Amino acid sequence: MKRNPFCNNRVATLSRREALRSVAAGFGYLAFAGLATSEAAADAKTSLLTSRTPHFEPRAKRVIFLCMRGGPSHVDTFDYKPQLQKDHGRPSHYGTPWSASPWKFGQHGNSGLWMSELFPNLAKQADELCLLRGMHCDQPAHAQAFLQMHTGHFQFVRPSMGAWTLYGLGTENQDLPGFISINPTTANGGAQNYGSAFLPAAYQGTKFSVQDSSARNRRIDRMRRGEVNPYGINNAVNKQLSKSDQRVQLDLLAALNRDKLAHDQHNPIVEGAIENFELGFRMQDAVPKVMDLSDESEETLRLYGINEDPTDGFGRQCLLARRFAESGVRFIELGHGTWDQHSNIKTALADNCAETDKPIAGLLADLKRRDLLKDTLVIWGGEFGRTPYSPDGNGRDHNHKGYATWMAGGGVKGGFSYGSTDEHGYEAVENKMHIHDWHATILHLLGFDHERLTYRYGGREMRLTEVAGSVAAEIIT
C-alpha cells in the first residue's frame, strides 16, 4: 500500500500479476496461465536422468574409479626413485631417515614404464597406463583430502565427482542408477563422497555392497556367513507385493508428489523422490540380472581372480564394474582399503597389492577385448601419498605434497608418464597436477568444459573445480 499525498486514504498498488488477472476480464492472465501450465507439463515429461550431449565430442563415455582409501605409497608402487635407494638410512631434511622401498622396480611394456614388483599382473598392461606422478592436494589429513578428491572441497558440502558426471551426461539405462558406488567407506565424509549436495537428489550415487576379501572383512564374513546380500543392495526384490500392486502404489505416490510439486512450483527434493521411486521399481528386474555372474565363463572368472584367495572380493567388484559399464552406467566407483600404513608396511602394502593387482589387470584386459576401454576412463588412486622417510623403516606418514595416480583408456595416452616429484619423492616439482586440475581433466575427457558445467546455487554458478583447475592437455590423445 502507498499513501496518496493528496488525501489520507490508502491506495492499493496493483502487482503485474493482479493487473493481468483483472484487465480485459482476465483473458490475458488466462493465456499466461495456460502457457505456464503447458511449459511445466513439458518439463515434467523430461527426466532429470535423460541422456544429454556434452559441450564437445567426448573421448570417454563413462568412468570407473578404483578408489584406494588411505593413501597408497607412491614411492613403493609407481614412482621409482633411485636416489632414495642410494640415500637409504641417511638423515633427511625432515628429522627422520630416508627410507628406500623394499621392493624392486622394473621397466615394463614397449613404453618402458617403471613399476614396482608389487604389481606383476598390472605390469603386463603398462602400455595402457598413463601415470600421473606430480599429484598434490591441500590437506595431509584423511577426511579432508578424501572429501576434496571426491567433491573438490574439504570445507563445505559439495556434489561428488560422480554426481557432476551424471548431472552433465544423464544415463544411458533408465533401469539402473547412473552413478554406483561399491563398498564406499562410512568414514572420511561417508555418504558425502557419493552425494549430490545441492544438485537434485536423482544425481546422487547408489551404494552397493559386495563381499570384500580384505583380512578385516574376511573375519566379518565368517561371523555373518549366509547373510551376504546377493544383489549388493537392500530391498532389490519385493517379496511382499506383485508388480501390479507396486505399480498402483507408485502411481498414487507419484500423483501426490506431483500435486506437491505443482504447489511448490520448484522443489528438487520432490523431483528427486519421483525419479528415485520410479528407478527403484525398474531396478527390481535389472539389478538381479547384472549382479548374477553365472553367465560369465570360467576363463573370465579366472581373469579377475574370482573364487581365488585373496583376489575374490575385489575381483567381483571389478567384474561388476565391467557389467555396469556395459549396461550404460556412467560412473562406477570401487572402494578398497585401507592403505594407511604408518607401520607394518612390508606386510600390509603387499597384501593390498595382492588383493587388487590381478583384478585390476583383468578389468583392463577385459575392457580392451570387448572394445570398451577406448571410451571408458579407468582411474586409480587414493587421497594422497606417503613420505619417503620413516622413523623405523617399517612405515610411512601422510604426504599431500607429492604422490601418484594413474588413468587408462578414455582418451589418455597409454604407456605415458606425466609429472614428477623431487629426487626423493617428497614434493611434486614438474607438471604438477592439483586435485582441481585432475577434476578438470576428467571432465574434459567426458566432453565438458569444467568452467561451463555449472549449477546455480546460493546466488552463484557452482562447479566441481571451484575457481581453479587446468586441463592436462599433454596426457590426452
Side-chain angles (χ1 to χ4, degrees):
M1 305 290 285
K2 291 184 179 179
R3 287 188 177 277
N4 188 319
F6 302 103
C7 67
N8 292 326
N9 295 328
R10 296 190 176 188
V11 178
T13 301
L14 291 177
S15 68
R16 188 174 301 175
R17 180 173 295 180
E18 289 168 335
L20 284 170
R21 183 183 290 124
S22 57
V23 173
F27 286 112
Y29 183 77
L30 286 174
F32 171 77
L35 287 171
T37 302
S38 299
E39 184 176 346
D43 288 343
K45 293 178 182 177
T46 303
S47 168
L48 292 170
L49 299 174
T50 298
S51 183
R52 289 179 286 278
T53 302
H55 299 146
F56 47 83
E57 187 68 25
R59 288 171 171 81
K61 295 180 179 179
R62 65 197 71 85
V63 174
I64 297 176
F65 177 25
L66 310 170
C67 182
M68 307 292 109
R69 177 175 61 88
S73 173
H74 57 297
V75 294
D76 294 303
T77 53
F78 299 106
D79 197 6
Y80 178 44
K81 294 299 173 186
Q83 190 62 45
L84 184 60
Q85 303 298 115
K86 295 177 182 177
D87 290 341
H88 177 69
R90 296 178 182 176
S92 73
H93 311 305
Y94 310 101
T96 53
W98 296 118
S99 180
S101 176
W103 294 280
K104 295 179 181 179
F105 278 71
Q107 290 181 282
H108 299 277
N110 295 327
S111 56
L113 284 187
W114 286 94
M115 294 172 60
S116 165
E117 63 180 331
L118 287 169
F119 291 100
N121 292 285
L122 187 59
K124 299 174 185 176
Q125 301 293 326
D127 289 335
E128 305 298 338
L129 305 185
C130 180
L131 300 184
L132 308 175
R133 289 171 162 153
M135 294 291 301
H136 64 107
C137 63
D138 296 333
Q139 291 288 327
H142 289 294
Q144 291 85 347
F146 203 75
L147 270 174
Q148 188 175 40
M149 176 176 66
H150 281 88
T151 70
H153 213 292
F154 61 85
Q155 292 173 302
F156 304 108
V157 177
R158 292 287 187 265
S160 61
M161 176 169 50
W164 280 111
T165 300
L166 188 56
Y167 164 64
L169 292 176
T171 184
E172 294 181 321
N173 187 337
Q174 296 292 327
D175 296 335
L176 286 172
F179 170 22
I180 289 173
S181 183
I182 302 179
N183 290 357
T185 178
T186 57
N188 301 331
Q192 288 185 48
N193 295 302
Y194 55 93
S196 59
F198 49 72
L199 292 178
Y203 300 124
Q204 69 186 7
T206 298
K207 175 184 174 181
F208 278 69
S209 298
V210 176
Q211 183 178 0
D212 194 325
S213 64
S214 68
R216 177 180 297 177
N217 283 331
R218 280 202 298 270
R219 290 195 296 271
I220 294 174
D221 288 335
R222 283 198 296 269
M223 291 187 292
R224 299 179 177 177
R225 196 176 301 276
E227 298 179 8
V228 177
N229 187 337
Y231 304 118
I233 185 171
N234 292 331
N235 306 312
V237 176
N238 190 327
K239 298 179 180 179
Q240 276 72 46
L241 295 176
S242 66
K243 295 295 289 291
S244 58
D245 289 341
Q246 291 179 64
R247 185 68 265 171
V248 171
Q249 278 192 340
L250 283 175
D251 287 344
L252 174 59
L253 282 172
L256 294 172
N257 281 326
R258 289 193 181 96
D259 283 347
K260 170 68 174 171
L261 193 58
H263 178 269
D264 294 350
Q265 296 185 2
H266 176 68
N267 190 323
I269 296 176
V270 176
E271 291 172 356
I274 293 171
E275 293 278 357
N276 289 336
F277 282 140
E278 291 297 326
L279 175 59
F281 178 71
R282 297 191 299 270
M283 282 171 61
Q284 292 179 90
D285 290 327
V287 168
K289 291 177 182 177
V290 78
M291 298 293 289
D292 183 4
L293 305 184
S294 62
D295 60 346
E296 298 288 347
S297 68
E298 284 297 321
E299 184 274 334
T300 297
L301 297 179
R302 286 194 301 271
L303 182 67
Y304 286 88
I306 293 173
N307 299 323
E308 301 174 16
D309 187 38
T311 53
D312 179 75
F314 200 69
R316 290 177 184 275
Q317 287 198 55
C318 287
L319 179 51
L320 286 171
R322 190 219 78 202
R323 292 171 68 92
F324 282 130
E326 284 181 312
S327 300
V329 179
R330 293 292 195 182
F331 197 100
I332 307 121
E333 178 170 342
L334 312 184
H336 185 277
T338 177
W339 296 65
D340 188 21
Q341 283 118 19
H342 292 274
S343 61
N344 196 30
I345 192 170
K346 294 178 182 178
T347 300
L349 181 58
D351 287 346
N352 286 150
C353 295
E355 291 166 6
T356 59
D357 172 45
K358 187 174 183 179
I360 294 173
L363 172 63
L364 295 180
D366 203 14
L367 289 171
K368 186 176 181 180
R369 71 183 182 180
R370 292 169 182 268
D371 203 31
L372 285 169
L373 186 59
K374 65 182 182 183
D375 56 11
T376 301
L377 180 63
V378 182
I379 306 168
W380 180 97
E383 63 267 38
F384 44 58
R386 316 300 294 189
T387 57
Y389 51 81
S390 171
D392 58 7
N394 195 32
R396 302 187 186 279
D397 294 329
H398 302 175
N399 182 16
H400 68 295
K401 293 188 176 182
Y403 59 102
T405 64
W406 58 256
M407 298 180 183
V412 299
K413 294 177 181 177
F416 188 70
S417 178
Y418 178 76
S420 66
T421 53
D422 59 55
E423 62 182 0
H424 292 106
Y426 177 68
E427 186 172 0
V429 294
E430 182 182 356
N431 289 329
K432 299 168 65 173
M433 182 178 282
H434 186 269
I435 205 71
H436 292 320
D437 305 324
W438 190 67
H439 286 150
T441 304
I442 292 168
L443 291 179
H444 182 88
L445 291 165
L446 290 167
F448 292 106
D449 178 344
H450 70 102
E451 294 182 348
R452 292 168 54 202
L453 185 64
T454 62
Y455 187 88
R456 189 160 188 83
Y457 175 76
R460 71 180 180 93
E461 298 298 324
M462 310 294 283
R463 69 186 209 220
L464 174 62
T465 52
E466 289 292 312
V467 294
S470 298
V471 175
E474 297 90 338
I475 75 169
I476 299 172
T477 56

